[in-house]
Amino acid sequence: MAETIKKDGGLPEDLLITILMALPAKCLVRFRSVSKYWNSLITSAEFISIHLAQAKPLLLFHHHNQSYSLRLDNESLDMWSNLEFELPSKREDDDFQIIGTCNGVICLLNSRQDHGHSIILWNPSIGKSLNLVLPRLSDPFRGIFGFGFNRQSNDYKFVRVATPHYPVGCQVYSVKERSWKAIDVSPALGYMNPIPSVLWGRSSSYNYAFLNGVLHWLVDREEFGSRFVLSFDLRNDSFGKMMLSPYLASKLDEWMAILVSDNSVSLFLNDLDTKYIEIWALKKYDAMKLWARKLRIKAVGIGLAMVCRKNGEILMTRYPSDEVVSCDPQRKEIHDLQNLGLSDYADCYVESLALLDELKEENEKENVETAHSATFAISSPNALIRQA
């Protein structure tokens, strides 16, 4: 980094970078005004990436009173800060729901249909947001959604797979290219639906797992009455699928959700008949991928599995109260967390400079994509097709 950015005097460059790397994102945003050199340094993709790698791990919670809080991912889950969603375009009757987070960027869906079916990518730490208008479909909210980061191309992508349609439609938004792209979906996937899950007050369309550049959803194959994991690789914009084990495939009437646990794509199963909850992880054995059960524990009154903490414990909610509990897979114990109140959503979070390099022009206008008035046709996996 030191070789690629011109110096402008002052502190030795190595010392300056060391000092700046230790500062929180909000301070660094203000320090861009010190000089052109500081601005160039702080908004460089390399600086943003290294700063992100050493960010303090946090947990984001949505509470029943419609407030949001950040807590340290430590033993006692100490309070870090309250998070205010002060978006420039926000109106009193907007209804935002979190689809997911990635590298400190929060992906929000405005579910008010008369407000343009908008998606907002927002980084509260830098006070910047990107407003995307979903391409028109017969029903903009039928389908599955995902948001993630392609490390190879340094690009954030939002993905929507429209279901039930045949052939299945897919649109991908690239922040780096500032454009939508239509993706061909193999007809072999058939008609799909997001499965009903234990996400009370939250659409199962938003339940996905993002790991190593790949989005994963748990979906139904309607004509066969079966479930499988649908994947989408952000590196090459390609789909894949992973069938469930015969045991998991037989649990069609039970509550299931997908999440990342212990650096593996995992399934949460809440068996209403036996009153057991189970966690199954997708493991690789030689060239094969198999489902391995890592937890089975008696748990009456458990509802939603929300997020896996860095210590391996899984935060869940009680049903129907939404009190937050923590499940320790090693000890096979569940204990209450009285200090968290009632929450229906939790996810890993970091305060970062993400999107700063994409939105670094101070006078750049809010990017509002005009795809709302466009029609998308599907022809090839890599074709961007926008017709007026």
Side-chain angles (χ1 to χ4, degrees):
M1 182 186 301
E3 296 177 356
T4 61
I5 300 176
K6 186 178 179 180
K7 301 178 183 179
D8 66 347
L11 293 173
E13 188 172 41
D14 290 344
L15 178 58
L16 173 62
I17 292 174
T18 300
I19 293 173
L20 293 179
M21 282 292 179
L23 297 178
K26 291 181 179 180
C27 291
L28 291 171
V29 171
R30 295 197 302 268
F31 288 166
R32 290 180 304 156
S33 61
V34 171
S35 68
K36 290 183 178 180
Y37 168 62
W38 280 40
N39 179 62
S40 179
L41 173 63
I42 293 170
T43 58
S44 68
E46 187 177 359
F47 184 93
I48 292 172
S49 177
I50 297 174
H51 186 267
L52 174 66
Q54 59 188 34
K56 191 183 299 293
L58 303 171
L59 293 169
L60 169 65
F61 290 90
H62 175 255
H63 305 288
H64 275 206
N65 61 2
Q66 301 305 312
S67 67
Y68 294 83
S69 66
L70 292 174
R71 290 182 175 269
L72 289 171
D73 191 3
N74 58 11
E75 184 177 355
S76 55
L77 293 172
D78 295 326
M79 185 69 177
W80 181 253
S81 68
N82 288 314
L83 195 58
E84 297 294 334
F85 282 76
E86 297 178 355
L87 297 172
S89 58
K90 192 176 188 303
R91 290 167 285 195
E92 289 186 3
D93 57 343
D94 281 339
D95 182 17
F96 288 101
Q97 298 185 50
I98 295 181
I99 290 178
T101 71
C102 181
N103 296 345
V105 180
I106 301 173
C107 183
L108 297 159
L109 168 68
N110 187 358
S111 59
R112 291 284 299 181
Q113 295 196 23
D114 56 343
H115 287 184
H117 317 305
S118 60
I119 294 291
I120 291 182
L121 306 181
W122 182 49
N123 185 341
S125 299
I126 65 173
K128 297 289 185 180
S129 61
L130 201 60
N131 188 17
L132 321 177
V133 178
L134 289 173
R136 280 193 181 277
L137 287 174
S138 57
D139 186 344
F141 297 104
R142 292 297 299 272
I144 51 181
F145 305 89
F147 174 63
F149 180 66
N150 178 8
R151 189 183 302 273
Q152 292 180 356
S153 61
N154 192 38
D155 191 12
Y156 290 88
K157 292 185 177 182
F158 170 79
V159 179
R160 176 179 60 165
V161 182
T163 62
H165 291 275
Y166 191 80
V168 176
C170 174
Q171 293 91 26
V172 179
Y173 183 85
S174 163
V175 171
K176 192 171 186 177
E177 297 178 3
R178 295 292 202 281
S179 63
W180 289 92
K181 180 167 67 175
I183 302 294
D184 186 23
V185 183
S186 169
L189 294 177
Y191 293 88
M192 295 180 300
N193 266 326
I195 69 155
S197 64
V198 280
L199 305 177
W200 292 284
R202 229 178 109 70
S203 169
S204 55
S205 297
Y206 314 154
N207 177 221
Y208 66 92
F210 177 67
L211 181 66
N212 297 329
V214 182
L215 295 164
H216 304 81
W217 300 270
L218 186 60
V219 298
D220 271 334
R221 178 78 180 271
E222 284 190 348
E223 62 268 42
F224 298 118
S226 62
R227 294 175 179 173
F228 63 94
V229 173
L230 175 70
S231 65
F232 185 80
D233 194 327
L234 299 183
R235 294 165 293 190
N236 53 23
D237 290 345
S238 64
F239 281 96
K241 66 177 180 178
M242 177 68 189
M243 303 308 297
L244 303 186
S245 67
Y247 172 80
L248 289 171
S250 70
K251 300 293 184 177
L252 290 178
D253 296 326
E254 310 303 337
W255 286 332
M256 299 179 72
I258 193 166
L259 72 160
V260 175
S261 175
D262 194 23
N263 205 37
S264 298
V265 173
S266 302
L267 295 180
F268 168 80
L269 170 65
N270 192 338
D271 195 317
L272 303 178
D273 294 327
T274 65
K275 309 300 181 186
Y276 275 87
I277 60 171
E278 301 177 9
I279 300 290
W280 290 76
L282 186 58
K283 299 292 186 180
K284 188 173 183 179
Y285 298 95
D286 296 327
M288 298 179 61
K289 290 183 178 180
L290 300 174
W291 293 100
R293 186 164 64 188
K294 58 182 294 187
L295 173 69
R296 188 173 191 265
I297 181 175
K298 193 82 170 181
V300 179
I302 293 296
L304 167 67
M306 297 189 291
V307 65
C308 183
R309 301 173 59 189
K310 66 177 184 179
N311 65 1
E313 294 188 11
I314 302 170
L315 294 184
M316 304 176 178
T317 57
R318 291 199 180 278
Y319 175 73
S321 66
D322 276 349
E323 295 174 301
V324 181
V325 299
S326 190
C327 176
D328 187 336
Q330 299 297 323
R331 298 182 179 180
K332 295 186 177 182
E333 295 177 348
I334 294 178
H335 56 275
D336 292 321
L337 299 171
Q338 302 290 347
N339 61 325
L340 293 185
L342 305 181
S343 300
D344 57 12
Y345 174 84
D347 202 354
C348 298
Y349 188 80
V350 291
E351 293 182 332
S352 77
L353 296 169
L355 296 186
L356 190 61
D357 52 341
E358 296 291 343
L359 305 172
K360 59 186 175 182
E361 292 299 328
E362 198 66 34
N363 297 323
E364 182 178 6
K365 294 182 179 179
E366 181 108 332
N367 185 294
V368 181
E369 292 302 312
T370 57
H372 188 58
S373 59
T375 322
F376 280 76
I378 295 174
S379 64
S380 66
N382 297 312
L384 167 60
I385 306 172
R386 177 176 292 174
Q387 301 172 341

